Amino acid sequence: MRSAVEPMISSLAASRMSDEQLVELRGTVDQMRSDIDDQYSFLDANKRFHDVIAWSSGNALFGYIIESLLSIMDGTAIGIDYPQYRREAILKAHQEIYDSLAARDPELAMERMREHIEAYERYAERKFPQVMNEIIPWEQRFFA
């Protein structure tokens, strides 16, 4: 679902996000860069990155959808891990997405987000095939 929705959201954000939202987004990239050795802080900044873009699309529904999905889609609830090399790849992708949004280029923002989400899907399917079909009980994710 993310591979279809987030690229479109990024395209909208490229033309709709405020300068303040762009500064906030830049802060998440900076945090990821400075905290690349701290997986918890890195993943927190990752979630905020996607959240800022969704809310910057100008459509509150997208903000709520992505906010809800982010809580489960990073895969940590089902055992997906992000070693250093993967965090570096995510940081590079986020920098490219940020650059396309800062350039206010909807097509490039859509393409960069599509590449990023597809890379995540390939990583998860290759490295964690056993968990890709797992059902995440709502109570486990939010009340454990």
Side-chain angles (χ1 to χ4, degrees), residues 98-113:
Y98 169 81
D99 291 344
S100 67
L101 291 166
R104 309 291 186 184
D105 187 330
E107 290 79 24
L108 188 58
M110 184 176 353
E111 183 58 28
R112 292 294 180 252
M113 182 63 80

Side-chain angles (χ1 to χ4, degrees), residues 26 28-34 36 42 46 49-50 53 83-101 108-109 111-113 115-117 119 122:
R26 178 69 206 186
T28 67
V29 175
D30 291 344
Q31 179 183 341
M32 292 175 79
R33 183 171 290 108
S34 67
I36 199 158
F42 183 90
N46 176 60
F49 178 88
H50 290 273
I53 293 172
Q84 182 79 21
Y85 77 91
R86 186 67 199 128
R87 292 192 303 270
E88 290 170 1
I90 292 168
L91 175 59
K92 181 179 183 292
H94 281 208
Q95 182 66 58
E96 291 173 351
I97 293 165
Y98 169 81
D99 291 344
S100 67
L101 291 166
L108 188 58
E111 183 58 28
R112 292 294 180 252
M113 182 63 80
E115 291 168 354
H116 174 48
I117 299 302
R122 285 190 307 273

